[in-house]
Amino acid sequence: MDTRQRLLDATRELLWQRGYAATSPNAIMKAARAGQGSLYHHFAGKEDLAAEALRGSAEQLREEAAAILDGEGSPAERIERYLTRERDSLRGCRIGRMTADADVLTSDRLRQPVSETLAWLVDRLAGLIADAQAAGELRADLDPRATASCVASTVQGGYVLARAAGSTEPFDQAITGAVQLLRGAMVG
Amino acid sequence: MDTRQRLLDATRELLWQRGYAATSPNAIMKAARAGQGSLYHHFAGKEDLAAEALRGSAEQLREEAAAILDGEGSPAERIERYLTRERDSLRGCRIGRMTADADVLTSDRLRQPVSETLAWLVDRLAGLIADAQAAGELRADLDPRATASCVASTVQGGYVLARAAGSTEPFDQAITGAVQLLRGAMVG
DNA sequence: GTCTATAGCAGGATAGAC
DNA sequence: GTCTATCCTGCTATAGAC
C-alpha cells in the first residue's frame, strides 16, 4: 500500500477515535509510518487530508448501510435488520461523531460528507418506511420521514448512552426499544 | 458574582460549546474576565475546574428533566412532554456532548457526572414507562428499560442529526417519530 | 517523494511579587 | 486573591537538501 493511502487510512482511524481537532498531523504520521515530507507532499495540510479521509469514511458507511437497506427481505425486515445489525457501539459512528467537533461544523469541506451522509441515510430509511406502508406491513398513519429520523437518532443516541456508560448495554437496549415500538406499529 | 463562580459559569458554557479538549484555560479566563492567578488559585487546574463545572451542568440537567418527569399529568403525558419540550437542538446536550471527548472518557472525575446523569435519566424514564403500563396507558409488552433507552437515544441522536444538517428540523422530526410510535403503543 | 531543520504560536502550568 | 513573567511542550506548517 502506498504512503498516500496509509496516510488516509491512519487519518480515518484517528478521526473516528479522537475527532478532528484532537488529531494531530504528528499522530497521523506516526500511525501511517510516514514522514512529515510525505504528508505535506500528498496533501495541502491537515484539513485537506481530513476532508479526503472523511469522504472515504462516508462512502464506506453508505455502502455498508446500503448493503442492508437495499438487500434481501421485505421493507420492514430490512429496517429491523438495519437496527439490529452488529455494531461496535463503544466506538460510535465515524460520521455522526464529527458532529461534536466545532472545527468540522465550521468547515464546509469537512462538514459536507457528514451532513450529506446522514441526510442520505434518513432519506433512504424514509423511503423504506413508505415502502413498508405501501406493502401493508406498517401502519399508514406514521410519517415516514419522522419515523426514519427516529430510527437514525436511536442509533446515534445509542452510541452516546453506551459511551457514557462504558458499556454496550444501553445501546442494545435502545435498539431493542426501537424494534419493539416498530413491531407494535406493524399491521396485523 | 465572585470570580470563582464566573470561572465556573464560563467553563460550563465553553464545555457545552466546544467540549473539554478544545476549551483552553486561556479562553475560560477571557470569558470569565479573570486572570491566570485567579484560575490557579481557585482550582488545581483545567481538569479540576472542568470537573466541578460539569457537576453543575449535570445537576441542572437533572433538575430540568425532573421538573417534567416528576411534574403534572399522567405518566404517559409526562414522557411525551419530556420528548416535546423545547430544546435548542443545534447546541446539543451539554452532558451527552462530552461523550465525544476522549479525554473526558478517560478521566474518572470528568466521566462520572456524564455517566451518572444519563443513567439517572434512563432509569427515571423507565420507571415512568412502567408506571404508564401499570396505569393501563401503555401496552404491557414493551420492556420499560428498552423503551426508555430508545426515548433518551432519540433525543441524543436527534441532536447529532440536527447539528450535521445545520438545521433544527431533523431533531423535530425524530421527536415526532418517537411520539407517533409511542402513541401507537398506547392502550385503547 | 521523502528527509531534516526550523519557525511561530498556543496550551497548560508554575513562581514569586504585590 | 490577583498579577506578571517565565517555562516546556506540542501543534501546524514551511524551507531546502537529497
Side-chain angles (χ1 to χ4, degrees):
Chain A
M1 196 167 36
D2 66 353
T3 303
R4 184 187 154 86
Q5 192 56 48
R6 284 208 318 279
L7 283 165
L8 283 169
D9 289 348
T11 304
R12 285 176 51 173
E13 187 61 26
L14 286 168
L15 285 179
W16 194 354
Q17 276 179 30
R18 306 180 185 269
Y20 178 73
T23 294
S24 69
N26 227 309
I28 295 171
M29 285 154 44
K30 240 170 242 168
R33 297 183 318 282
Q36 203 139 3
S38 301
L39 196 161
Y40 287 97
H41 170 73
H42 291 293
F43 302 96
K46 175 181 169 175
E47 185 184 358
D48 185 42
L49 170 53
E52 184 157 343
L54 221 42
R55 279 199 300 276
S57 289
E59 191 177 351
Q60 190 182 341
L61 188 153
R62 271 200 297 275
E63 279 172 12
E64 289 174 7
I68 294 175
L69 299 176
D70 300 336
E72 306 267 298
S74 75
E77 283 168 356
R78 281 180 269 161
I79 293 164
E80 189 167 323
R81 204 176 308 136
Y82 171 76
L83 274 167
T84 56
R85 161 191 159 201
E86 186 144 10
R87 286 180 169 95
D88 190 351
S89 51
L90 287 175
R91 293 202 77 188
C93 173
R94 67 189 82 187
I95 294 301
R97 195 220 181 290
M98 296 301 137
T99 268
D101 222 305
D103 293 349
V104 171
L105 263 34
T106 52
S107 156
D108 286 342
R109 299 184 59 201
L110 296 175
R111 179 187 200 138
Q112 193 188 358
V114 176
S115 60
E116 282 182 356
T117 303
L118 292 177
W120 169 87
L121 176 65
V122 172
D123 271 359
R124 190 69 197 83
L125 283 169
L128 221 41
I129 285 162
D131 291 347
Q133 291 174 320
E137 284 186 289
L138 207 59
R139 281 214 317 260
D141 60 341
L142 295 176
D143 179 71
R145 187 157 198 80
T147 311
S149 300
C150 182
V151 166
S153 291
T154 299
V155 173
Q156 294 294 329
Y159 290 135
V160 171
L161 298 187
R163 287 167 63 88
S167 156
T168 58
E169 203 225 335
F171 182 90
D172 296 337
Q173 292 274 0
I175 296 298
T176 299
V179 168
Q180 286 184 359
L181 286 171
L182 278 171
R183 284 197 181 151
M186 300 283 193
V187 172
Chain B
M1 194 167 36
D2 67 352
T3 304
R4 185 186 153 85
Q5 193 55 49
R6 285 209 315 281
L7 283 164
L8 284 170
D9 290 348
T11 305
R12 285 176 51 173
E13 187 61 27
L14 286 168
L15 285 179
W16 195 355
Q17 276 179 30
R18 306 181 186 268
Y20 178 73
T23 293
S24 69
N26 226 309
I28 295 170
M29 286 154 43
K30 240 170 241 165
R33 297 182 318 282
Q36 202 140 6
S38 302
L39 195 161
Y40 287 96
H41 170 73
H42 291 292
F43 302 95
K46 175 181 170 177
E47 185 184 358
D48 185 42
L49 170 53
E52 185 158 342
L54 221 40
R55 279 199 299 276
S57 289
E59 191 178 350
Q60 190 182 341
L61 188 153
R62 272 200 296 274
E63 280 172 11
E64 290 175 7
I68 295 175
L69 299 177
D70 300 337
E72 307 266 298
S74 74
E77 283 168 357
R78 282 179 269 161
I79 295 166
E80 188 165 324
R81 203 175 311 137
Y82 171 77
L83 273 167
T84 56
R85 162 191 159 204
E86 186 144 9
R87 286 180 169 94
D88 190 351
S89 51
L90 286 175
R91 293 201 78 189
C93 174
R94 67 190 81 186
I95 295 300
R97 191 214 185 297
M98 297 301 139
T99 266
D101 223 305
D103 293 348
V104 172
L105 263 33
T106 52
S107 156
D108 286 342
R109 301 184 57 201
L110 297 175
R111 180 189 198 136
Q112 192 188 355
V114 176
S115 61
E116 282 182 357
T117 302
L118 292 177
W120 169 86
L121 176 65
V122 171
D123 271 358
R124 190 71 198 85
L125 283 168
L128 221 41
I129 285 163
D131 291 347
Q133 291 174 317
E137 283 186 289
L138 208 57
R139 281 213 317 260
D141 60 341
L142 296 175
D143 180 71
R145 187 155 198 83
T147 311
S149 300
C150 182
V151 166
S153 291
T154 299
V155 173
Q156 294 294 328
Y159 290 135
V160 171
L161 297 188
R163 287 168 62 87
S167 155
T168 59
E169 202 226 334
F171 181 89
D172 296 337
Q173 292 273 0
I175 297 297
T176 299
V179 168
Q180 286 183 359
L181 286 172
L182 278 171
R183 285 198 181 150
M186 299 284 192
V187 173

